Amino acid sequence: MTAPTVLRLRADDTLAQRLARSAALRAEGFALRTADVAGWLTQRARAHHFRVERIALNDLDGWFFATDTGNLHHHTGRFFSIEGIDVNHNEGAIRRWQQPMIRQPEVGILGILAKEFDGVLHFLLQAKMEPGNRNLLQLSPTVQATHSNYTGAHRGTPVKYLEYFTDPSRGTVLTDVLQSEHGSWFYRKSNRNIVMETVDDVPVDDDFCWLTLGQIGELLRYDNVVNMDARTVLASCPVTSAEPGALNTDMELRSWFTVERSRHSLTAERVPLADIEEWKRSDFTLGRDDGRYFRLVAVAVEAGNREVTGWSQPLFEPTGIGVSAFLFRHFGGVPHLLVQAKVEAGFLDTVELAPTVQCTPGNWAHLPEPLRPYFLDVVRVAGPDRVRYAAVHSEEGGRFLNAESRYLFVEADEAQAPLDPPTGFRWATPGQLNNLAQHGHYLNVQARTLLACLNAGTVRLDPTR
Amino acid sequence: MTAPTVLRLRADDTLAQRLARSAALRAEGFALRTADVAGWLTQRARAHHFRVERIALNDLDGWFFATDTGNLHHHTGRFFSIEGIDVNHNEGAIRRWQQPMIRQPEVGILGILAKEFDGVLHFLLQAKMEPGNRNLLQLSPTVQATHSNYTGAHRGTPVKYLEYFTDPSRGTVLTDVLQSEHGSWFYRKSNRNIVMETVDDVPVDDDFCWLTLGQIGELLRYDNVVNMDARTVLASCPVTSAEPGALNTDMELRSWFTVERSRHSLTAERVPLADIEEWKRSDFTLGRDDGRYFRLVAVAVEAGNREVTGWSQPLFEPTGIGVSAFLFRHFGGVPHLLVQAKVEAGFLDTVELAPTVQCTPGNWAHLPEPLRPYFLDVVRVAGPDRVRYAAVHSEEGGRFLNAESRYLFVEADEAQAPLDPPTGFRWATPGQLNNLAQHGHYLNVQARTLLACLNAGTVRLDPTR
């Protein structure tokens, strides 16, 4: 029996055009001019009292190291914990190690509210303080909330605009996908990456402003302005790239990914933090004698515009600046990025697609040249004629302290990045990666930052001549 | 610089048409007539010496219960092990339990070789014995191999046709995706589901035959002929359905899935098999006093055409026959299936999409009516006018003994299956589910069996008038 129901087109063909129109508006939108955003951020910072200072691990308020395991927990059992993991991998330069990991089984919401003004999509971003950011305030999604935030574990003020992301009837979903966070630091963490469009008349709070995709793209040229959460949400926006073809069909690319995910054997077993090998706890840090990778530290925060006005928390502090770079080339006139199927111990399933180079170079300096990351030197020696994009961005400032990476797009040639790349690498077009980003756990968070720069028109990969 | 490289279309538009052509050929193909397949299977069974008998758990050859944990392992450390898990879930009728689980961290290959004969795609299926099948021999993929099989842990004969699935240069990949297995019995198991097309002249071994998609579809009308592994591979074939629209856009469907995956909180911690609550070991079984769910048993196998000629192994034996049914309705003339976001403890990530009803009714008989599975009664009382398809199929006969489920498509109306279904259920079109099956871990193995019946034209969901 046929019910008289109105069907809808399965895909909204107009969305890609609407995103392109928003990306084309770069100097100004409905609200702030792009050039005025830096001043607005400074003004928002002044309006609040933000102070972050390092404290001793034992001075963490509300947190405790469990007597049996040495794991670091919040007294409520919520938020997140720091535990140990023991990792075994069947290949690579380092095949067995132990390390601290952040365990936060709950799924957070990274949501950007969208609305058309004068026929152009705008995105509501927030000037948000995160204690781990060197400059504290960056542009973040409309809502950036852990489950503890939005169910009230903070006992603070309600999360603004949250209702748009918990009640589907409040708008039209433009993207909504579970994506991983840093697999080297988080144990199987994922967050919802959502863009919701509304036609409501939305009151704009002092710490929020509407920007076009093009304006955000321009701001991505600057260091430490657009935060990681905003970048990853924008990476999942379904833009389209006009690509007449690709080196590999979509099916071949997915098949290669399936093979890569299958061939790696990785176990990451939870172990007590107190027992992990080569890590030592002192008053202010839990770290390694060789100074590599990262250390666990603690900070006390005073803040005015957060859900609560003051708190202390642990953070991971990397011991060097990272490099995340896509090498790109043109084949048949179409730009291709060299993606890497990268193993990270905290991933839900062995590998995700990463930039060509993703590492903290200092962590590899002690190893002989053949064991260092592929293509790192190609990126390191690239002159300005080859560097199409370079900016320093912060990783999640709510969990990481001064965790900065230099993000680059670097043009390469056959000698530097061959058509037939080493095992674990494959050429893919921006359009192919954008399609994969509509599904969870294909692209890692670093690749998504670079993809956001493509989606927002920050970098164009046109041939140089 | 632009290299002179020939690009390819990202998607092969002709594949869906070629699959449709193959599905249209139902009575005969290039080789066996469909009507002769049953006889051929009987003949293949006679050509081998297959004997399976139950043995005591302690008589398992090469297997041992570890003294510390009671976990059941193979002496090589390979194949799989039986361990305990402790499950906690934040909703449902039963929120905490312990049970045995099969742990097999390696990724297996389920591969079907395809080739055109007279312009029509044929698929090379194998008459394969699996000790857990009631009728022992069923049609299976060309290659059905665990990592232990194809890396020689069996010390048997090499796996036939394996090279087509380990060397991508041997053919064209039509589908290749990592899919889950039974989440109630396997701990985070996934297998590669592959179809590879070749133009080689392929010598056909006695136990193999070429069949069209339509022939396989006809064979899916019969009980226990097409095995689970063949069904799941066929479910991933990218057929297309001509659908003018759907109740929910693709984006809304994925967003709902994201919400469902996020809202469930589930932990499944490994615990020693010796310690799991309510399970007791006797000479021949490890099971529960109340007889529910399943029991661990052991069999000895004598076989002629397997990689080795005799072995013994543990199997899980369910204590009742399962029901897996999609309710369907037409909206705006387009068939829609009522999918369920179902939690299974062994899934990689909380939920996958399952049939409307998926349960073993006997396991729920002790619970009060409101706690029993939704829609079970709608399926149970459906008369022949509503049952569009029903057949009994076996689950993986290499791990499960007499694990049979009745698979159904049942037409429903608004009173039985409302347009606005309960939380955890959503209407989706066959085309939408087929698109999701191109990616891993959206559809569970039971849903994929039913999807295979649609892909192969076994069941048509046309309006009855």
Side-chain angles (χ1 to χ4, degrees):
Chain A
M1 207 184 317
T2 301
T5 316
V6 179
L7 296 188
R8 300 158 63 201
L9 288 176
R10 283 179 41 191
D12 174 3
D13 293 337
T14 67
L15 178 56
Q17 296 159 30
R18 291 164 65 217
L19 288 167
R21 204 153 57 225
S22 181
L25 230 63
R26 308 191 72 81
E28 59 187 346
F30 158 81
L32 275 183
R33 291 171 43 88
T34 313
D36 296 337
V37 171
W40 176 73
L41 275 170
T42 308
Q43 177 245 312
R44 292 323 304 153
R46 266 201 296 262
H48 298 283
H49 300 283
F50 296 131
R51 231 180 110 226
V52 176
E53 63 174 337
R54 287 177 195 256
I55 58 172
L57 292 171
N58 279 330
D59 290 342
L60 279 166
D61 183 27
W63 295 79
F64 67 99
F65 290 95
T67 45
D68 48 350
T69 58
N71 292 344
L72 182 57
H73 296 279
H74 194 259
H75 72 92
T76 57
R78 300 186 75 167
F79 305 108
F80 58 95
S81 59
I82 312 287
E83 309 186 1
I85 59 159
D86 176 83
V87 186
N88 281 280
H89 180 211
N90 63 338
E91 59 177 74
I94 301 170
R95 301 189 177 199
R96 180 173 176 278
W97 71 92
Q98 298 191 328
Q99 66 165 87
M101 271 258 171
I102 303 171
R103 192 169 141 81
Q104 186 174 8
E106 60 186 25
V107 174
I109 288 180
L110 308 179
I112 297 182
L113 194 59
K115 182 174 156 80
E116 279 199 356
F117 296 96
D118 303 331
V120 178
L121 275 175
H122 285 62
F123 302 89
L124 188 62
L125 296 195
Q126 178 183 183
K128 186 178 179 73
M129 192 285 293
E130 294 181 301
N133 293 339
R134 214 179 277 283
N135 57 352
L136 295 184
L137 234 75
Q138 298 188 6
L139 291 174
S140 80
T142 320
V143 166
Q144 179 177 321
T146 62
H147 196 261
S148 296
N149 282 136
Y150 65 82
T151 55
H154 280 287
R155 287 166 301 145
T157 48
V159 177
K160 288 177 186 121
Y161 308 109
L162 179 65
E163 63 277 14
Y164 285 101
F165 304 97
T166 52
D167 175 2
S169 73
R170 291 294 296 263
T172 304
V173 58
L174 305 188
T175 190
D176 186 355
V177 56
L178 279 181
Q179 298 286 14
S180 63
E181 298 238 336
H182 297 76
S184 297
W185 298 330
F186 270 115
Y187 185 78
R188 298 190 174 156
K189 174 90 178 93
S190 57
N191 281 322
R192 277 180 71 191
N193 285 238
I194 324 174
V195 181
M196 283 294 281
E197 183 177 359
T198 182
V199 291
D200 290 359
D201 197 8
V202 180
V204 175
D205 181 275
D206 284 347
D207 288 320
F208 291 76
C209 73
W210 290 105
L211 297 168
T212 65
L213 186 54
Q215 289 187 287
I216 302 168
E218 288 304 302
L219 294 165
L220 277 165
R221 296 185 192 282
Y222 299 96
D223 293 353
N224 290 325
V225 171
V226 181
N227 88 346
M228 187 202 81
D229 300 290
R231 300 192 306 265
T232 173
V233 175
L234 294 175
S236 303
C237 274
V239 305
T240 31
S241 315
E243 295 167 355
L247 275 183
N248 303 290
T249 65
D250 290 2
M251 189 60 252
E252 287 167 342
L253 186 65
R254 290 206 305 271
S255 176
W256 167 77
F257 180 79
T258 300
V259 171
E260 286 298 314
R261 190 161 260 183
S262 303
R263 81 180 169 87
H264 288 283
S265 166
L266 181 111
T267 59
E269 302 283 343
R270 292 160 63 194
V271 293
L273 187 64
D275 297 347
I276 56 173
E277 298 161 4
E278 305 195 60
W279 291 72
K280 283 196 197 116
R281 194 168 130 198
S282 61
D283 286 353
F284 281 77
T285 63
L286 171 70
R288 291 167 56 102
D289 283 344
D290 60 19
R292 282 199 278 272
Y293 311 121
F294 63 91
R295 50 193 165 243
L296 173 71
V297 300
V299 295
V301 183
E302 281 177 39
N305 76 337
R306 288 291 289 239
E307 295 78 14
V308 288
T309 56
W311 73 91
S312 67
Q313 69 166 85
L315 293 169
F316 278 7
E317 182 181 29
T319 57
I321 186 169
V323 174
S324 289
F326 267 130
L327 295 185
F328 72 96
R329 290 180 63 187
H330 291 85
F331 298 106
V334 175
H336 284 68
L337 306 165
L338 188 57
V339 292
Q340 174 188 182
K342 189 169 172 58
V343 168
E344 298 182 16
F347 282 154
L348 198 59
D349 200 3
T350 65
V351 306
E352 295 191 9
L353 299 181
T356 322
V357 172
Q358 177 195 313
C359 68
T360 301
N363 292 340
W364 297 87
H366 66 294
L367 289 170
E369 175 62 32
L371 293 181
R372 289 188 211 156
Y374 281 112
F375 304 111
L376 175 58
D377 279 347
V378 177
V379 171
R380 198 158 17 196
V381 304
D385 57 320
R386 292 201 174 270
V387 176
R388 196 65 66 89
Y389 172 82
V392 171
H393 295 300
S394 302
E395 309 307 326
E396 165 64 70
R399 296 291 173 271
F400 311 124
L401 181 63
N402 304 328
E404 293 177 337
S405 294
R406 195 168 167 77
Y407 283 90
L408 305 101
F409 284 89
V410 176
E411 192 164 14
D413 59 23
E414 176 67 22
Q416 295 159 332
L419 174 62
D420 187 16
T423 302
F425 292 84
R426 186 66 51 123
W427 293 103
T429 67
Q432 290 181 315
L433 297 186
N434 187 269
N435 282 172
L436 292 178
Q438 309 309 306
H439 304 277
H441 300 286
Y442 277 108
L443 288 154
N444 81 351
V445 67
Q446 291 89 347
R448 297 202 309 275
T449 277
L450 288 165
L451 205 55
C453 294
L454 292 174
N455 286 359
T458 314
V459 55
R460 299 178 63 92
L461 304 179
D462 308 329
T464 36
R465 65 205 126 247
Chain B
M1 206 184 316
T2 301
T5 316
V6 180
L7 297 188
R8 300 157 63 199
L9 288 175
R10 282 178 43 191
D12 173 5
D13 292 337
T14 67
L15 178 57
Q17 295 159 30
R18 292 165 64 217
L19 288 167
R21 205 153 54 224
S22 181
L25 230 62
R26 307 189 73 80
E28 59 188 347
F30 158 82
L32 277 181
R33 291 171 43 88
T34 312
D36 296 337
V37 171
W40 176 74
L41 276 170
T42 307
Q43 178 244 314
R44 292 324 304 155
R46 267 201 297 262
H48 299 281
H49 300 282
F50 295 131
R51 232 179 109 227
V52 176
E53 62 174 337
R54 288 177 194 256
I55 57 173
L57 292 171
N58 279 332
D59 291 340
L60 279 166
D61 183 26
W63 295 80
F64 67 99
F65 289 95
T67 45
D68 49 349
T69 58
N71 292 344
L72 182 56
H73 296 279
H74 194 258
H75 72 92
T76 59
R78 301 185 75 169
F79 304 107
F80 58 94
S81 59
I82 312 288
E83 308 185 2
I85 59 161
D86 177 83
V87 186
N88 281 280
H89 181 210
N90 64 337
E91 59 177 73
I94 302 172
R95 301 191 177 198
R96 182 176 173 276
W97 71 93
Q98 299 190 327
Q99 66 165 89
M101 270 258 172
I102 302 171
R103 192 170 140 81
Q104 185 174 10
E106 59 186 25
V107 174
I109 288 180
L110 309 179
I112 296 183
L113 194 60
K115 183 176 156 78
E116 280 200 353
F117 295 96
D118 303 331
V120 178
L121 277 175
H122 285 62
F123 301 89
L124 189 62
L125 296 194
Q126 179 184 182
K128 188 178 177 74
M129 193 283 295
E130 294 182 301
N133 292 340
R134 215 179 277 282
N135 56 352
L136 296 183
L137 235 75
Q138 297 189 5
L139 290 174
S140 81
T142 319
V143 166
Q144 178 177 320
T146 63
H147 197 261
S148 297
N149 282 138
Y150 65 82
T151 55
H154 280 287
R155 288 167 300 144
T157 48
V159 177
K160 288 177 186 123
Y161 308 108
L162 178 65
E163 64 277 14
Y164 285 101
F165 304 97
T166 53
D167 175 1
S169 72
R170 292 294 296 264
T172 303
V173 59
L174 305 188
T175 191
D176 186 354
V177 57
L178 279 181
Q179 297 287 14
S180 63
E181 298 237 336
H182 298 74
S184 297
W185 298 330
F186 270 116
Y187 185 77
R188 297 190 173 154
K189 175 90 179 93
S190 57
N191 281 321
R192 277 180 70 193
N193 286 236
I194 323 173
V195 181
M196 284 293 282
E197 183 177 1
T198 182
V199 292
D200 290 359
D201 197 9
V202 180
V204 176
D205 182 275
D206 284 348
D207 288 321
F208 291 76
C209 74
W210 290 106
L211 296 168
T212 65
L213 187 53
Q215 289 185 287
I216 302 168
E218 288 305 303
L219 294 165
L220 277 164
R221 296 186 193 282
Y222 299 96
D223 293 353
N224 290 326
V225 171
V226 180
N227 89 345
M228 187 203 82
D229 300 290
R231 300 192 307 265
T232 171
V233 175
L234 295 174
S236 302
C237 274
V239 305
T240 31
S241 316
E243 295 166 354
L247 274 183
N248 303 290
T249 66
D250 290 1
M251 188 61 253
E252 286 168 342
L253 186 64
R254 290 205 305 271
S255 176
W256 167 77
F257 181 79
T258 300
V259 171
E260 286 297 314
R261 191 162 259 183
S262 304
R263 82 180 168 85
H264 288 283
S265 166
L266 181 110
T267 59
E269 302 283 342
R270 291 160 64 194
V271 293
L273 187 63
D275 297 347
I276 55 173
E277 298 161 3
E278 305 197 60
W279 291 72
K280 283 196 197 116
R281 194 169 129 199
S282 60
D283 286 351
F284 280 77
T285 63
L286 172 70
R288 292 167 56 101
D289 282 344
D290 60 18
R292 281 200 277 272
Y293 312 121
F294 63 91
R295 50 194 165 242
L296 173 70
V297 300
V299 295
V301 184
E302 279 176 42
N305 76 337
R306 287 291 290 238
E307 297 77 13
V308 287
T309 55
W311 73 90
S312 67
Q313 70 166 85
L315 292 168
F316 278 8
E317 182 180 30
T319 56
I321 187 170
V323 174
S324 289
F326 267 129
L327 295 185
F328 72 96
R329 289 181 62 186
H330 290 86
F331 298 107
V334 175
H336 284 67
L337 305 164
L338 188 57
V339 291
Q340 174 188 183
K342 186 170 174 58
V343 168
E344 298 183 16
F347 283 154
L348 199 58
D349 200 3
T350 63
V351 305
E352 296 191 8
L353 299 182
T356 323
V357 172
Q358 177 196 313
C359 69
T360 300
N363 292 338
W364 298 86
H366 66 294
L367 290 169
E369 175 63 31
L371 293 181
R372 291 188 210 157
Y374 281 112
F375 303 112
L376 176 57
D377 279 347
V378 178
V379 171
R380 199 159 14 197
V381 304
D385 58 318
R386 291 200 174 271
V387 176
R388 195 66 65 90
Y389 173 82
V392 172
H393 295 298
S394 302
E395 310 306 326
E396 165 64 70
R399 297 290 173 273
F400 310 123
L401 181 63
N402 304 329
E404 295 177 336
S405 293
R406 194 168 168 77
Y407 283 91
L408 305 101
F409 283 89
V410 176
E411 193 163 13
D413 60 22
E414 175 68 21
Q416 294 158 332
L419 175 62
D420 187 16
T423 301
F425 291 82
R426 185 66 52 121
W427 293 102
T429 67
Q432 290 180 315
L433 297 187
N434 187 269
N435 283 173
L436 293 178
Q438 310 307 307
H439 304 277
H441 300 285
Y442 277 108
L443 288 153
N444 80 351
V445 66
Q446 290 88 348
R448 297 202 309 276
T449 277
L450 288 165
L451 205 55
C453 294
L454 292 174
N455 287 358
T458 314
V459 55
R460 299 178 65 91
L461 304 179
D462 308 329
T464 37
R465 64 208 125 246

